[in-house]
Amino acid sequence: MLKTTQKGIVLPLLLLALIIVAVVGGVYYLSKNSSLGFNFTPPVPLNSHQELEGAVNKTVTVKTAHLDYKTNVKSHITVISTGVTQTLDNNVDGYLAGSDEASKGELKIYSTQNPSSSVVIDVISLKDGGSYVKGPATAGKWRYVSKEENNKLDEKNPTDASLYGFNLLDSVISDNKALFRTFKKETVEKLEDFSADGKTLKRFSVEIAVPDFVGAIEKDPDSTLKDKNDAKAILADATIKATFYVDKNTNYITKLSVSAKNLTQILTPEAKQLGVSTRHDIELSADISRFDLPMEIKAPDPSEVINPPSSI
């Protein structure tokens, strides 16, 4: 009875051992013979930088997009002779839509202390370099500004650093895609996921390499010499940090926030005469949507334009 009992135990154990050997041996054989299309090597997980770069590479291929944004600007105005500084708190909200060829947008500028008093400006920029502007100065009608006039105005007036958040956002839909392409790889940090509107978004914090951002502006064929020089002056001492939100389902960057500190206001003759210097801190957030959806951006009806092109 003892031998029978041992045999009754040993035989199943032997069978189990044979099964294990066969399975392990089979796995080993298959893993060594990749021509059989079987590989047990586990995939190497993407690091945070690679994961974000995948989303960036997809997002920058988009030809058209719509951005809704909110911006807070703190302007620190210093009287150079006394060193006394006063801080003004303003906001610029609105939207920007289109592509690097044509775009439209709206800016609503208002003070934090008096939000009911605001200035609203609408702009349509067309492929030929001309634009239409509507605001308080045009009495509710559009004013056409030709490419040549735009260039003259641009040359005459330095870029307003307090509105440079608009330039940062414009780089998202322009050909240079500077804000997306110039983050420092070593600074990418993956944060806790964020949920909004029933969607789960991956979050990545980054630091923007300011010299690379300026370099991207310089390489953009649509940038003028003044655009390049103003970017250098405004961002000379600036730091820019951003958080990119990536939709888990689409892998598009659908939301972003930017903190730009210490932007230098280019001195005008009036500012030099008054003896003041100004630096700005900008906090902005934007929701990005309508990726590659058709957008018809055209000139307003001539009846709505003070000076239609045909009359110039």
Side-chain angles (χ1 to χ4, degrees), residues 182 184 208-218 235 238:
T182 58
K184 299 177 185 178
I208 304 299
V210 174
D212 292 347
F213 183 92
V214 173
I217 300 298
E218 290 178 330
L235 300 176

Side-chain angles (χ1 to χ4, degrees), residues 55-277:
V56 166
N57 289 340
K58 182 175 182 181
T59 306
V60 297
T61 64
V62 168
K63 299 300 182 185
T64 60
H66 181 103
L67 290 81
D68 291 295
Y69 64 87
K70 291 183 178 295
T71 306
N72 175 257
V73 183
K74 286 183 171 57
S75 301
H76 311 288
I77 304 168
T78 301
V79 178
I80 297 171
S81 60
T82 63
V84 175
T85 298
Q86 179 183 4
T87 298
L88 302 180
D89 197 343
N90 293 295
N91 299 277
V92 184
D93 299 348
Y95 78 89
L96 178 65
S99 66
D100 61 321
E101 292 191 347
S103 63
K104 61 181 179 180
E106 180 180 276
L107 296 84
K108 178 183 177 182
I109 306 170
Y110 59 96
S111 167
T112 303
Q113 288 76 24
N114 188 16
S116 60
S117 179
S118 63
V119 175
V120 178
I121 302 171
D122 292 281
V123 180
I124 298 174
S125 300
L126 301 177
K127 187 177 181 179
D128 64 3
S131 61
Y132 292 84
V133 180
K134 182 171 67 173
T138 64
K141 280 203 164 189
W142 293 96
R143 182 182 185 278
Y144 175 72
V145 185
S146 67
K147 180 179 180 180
E148 293 72 25
E149 190 178 356
N150 263 329
N151 290 339
K152 287 180 182 178
L153 290 170
D154 195 43
E155 288 298 328
K156 184 179 179 181
N157 302 298
T159 302
D160 187 346
S162 70
L163 298 177
Y164 209 76
F166 194 76
N167 297 68
L168 296 174
L169 289 173
D170 185 59
S171 74
V172 171
I173 65 172
S174 66
D175 191 52
N176 61 67
K177 300 291 191 298
L179 191 64
F180 286 154
R181 294 187 185 275
T182 58
F183 63 86
K184 299 177 185 178
K185 297 177 180 179
E186 68 275 11
T187 67
V188 178
E189 181 183 357
K190 189 172 184 181
L191 307 175
E192 186 177 348
D193 286 354
F194 176 84
S195 295
D197 301 323
K199 298 178 181 178
T200 301
L201 308 177
K202 296 181 289 185
R203 292 192 303 157
F204 300 87
S205 67
V206 301
E207 291 182 19
I208 304 299
V210 174
D212 292 347
F213 183 92
V214 173
I217 300 298
E218 290 178 330
K219 293 175 183 176
D220 190 328
D222 292 327
S223 292
T224 65
L225 179 61
K226 180 177 174 298
D227 291 334
K228 300 169 186 179
N229 289 336
D230 284 3
K232 285 181 182 177
I234 290 170
L235 300 176
D237 301 311
T239 60
I240 305 175
K241 295 182 179 181
T243 301
F244 297 138
Y245 297 70
V246 179
D247 189 317
K248 276 192 171 183
N249 291 328
T250 65
N251 210 36
Y252 280 129
I253 297 174
T254 57
K255 187 180 181 69
L256 60 86
S257 59
V258 177
S259 176
K261 304 286 188 182
N262 210 27
L263 277 67
T264 303
Q265 184 72 32
I266 299 173
L267 290 178
T268 62
E270 293 79 11
K272 290 178 182 178
Q273 188 174 1
L274 290 171
V276 297
S277 65

Side-chain angles (χ1 to χ4, degrees), residues 29-30 33-38:
Y29 176 77
L30 289 171
N33 290 270
S34 57
S35 61
L36 296 177
F38 189 91

